[in-house]
Amino acid sequence: QLQASGGGLVQAGGSLRLSCATSGFPFDDYAISWFRQAPGKSREAVSCITSGDSRTYYTESVEGRFTISRDNAKNTVSLQMNSLAPEDTAVYYCAATTYRPYTEYETDYHYWGQGTQVTVSS
């Protein structure tokens, strides 16, 4: 299972930190990604952190503003989001995959969290 939390309402330029708590699978063997889905749009991959060497990947629109990290001792992944903009408004989901090194395709993910709403006001 994955449990996403940390969403909320923030003004443009502000920050939020999302957390993804996991259980029920060998966390160390899974890459974890954050996806988001804005109203009227398809879900997109935002960031991923691989298993093992914890390499990180970001979609271009969040590069330099978002930072993903994982704590293998606590089986959690965090997404620090800075300099938020209204276009970051979406429901954010965490997901887990054994695909190596990572994948942006939803169908490659085995486990999904329930989503947490992020709303950025202008």
Side-chain angles (χ1 to χ4, degrees):
Q1 291 185 340
L2 290 86
Q3 182 80 23
S5 62
L9 173 64
V10 64
Q11 289 188 330
S15 298
L16 283 173
R17 186 176 181 87
L18 305 184
S19 293
C20 179
T22 74
S23 63
F25 61 90
F27 181 76
D28 292 358
D29 294 339
Y30 281 73
I32 307 294
S33 289
W34 287 95
F35 288 77
R36 68 185 179 186
Q37 187 166 21
K41 295 186 177 181
S42 57
R43 192 154 53 184
E44 65 168 343
V46 174
S47 181
C48 178
I49 188 164
T50 63
S51 61
D53 57 2
S54 295
R55 278 177 290 168
T56 59
Y57 298 88
Y58 301 94
T59 192
E60 185 176 353
S61 62
V62 308
E63 186 82 51
R65 299 188 298 123
F66 291 10
T67 303
I68 191 170
S69 60
R70 65 189 292 157
D71 185 334
N72 288 342
K74 296 182 178 179
N75 293 352
T76 60
V77 171
S78 296
L79 185 68
Q80 178 67 41
M81 306 187 296
N82 298 328
S83 301
L84 283 162
E87 51 265 36
D88 295 316
T89 294
V91 178
Y92 284 71
Y93 301 86
C94 55
T97 180
T98 55
Y99 193 94
R100 296 177 187 270
Y102 86 104
T103 174
E104 61 183 9
Y105 298 106
E106 296 180 47
T107 53
D108 292 331
Y109 284 80
H110 310 292
Y111 303 106
W112 287 85
Q114 86 287 3
T116 185
Q117 176 71 48
V118 172
T119 303
V120 185
S121 64
S122 58

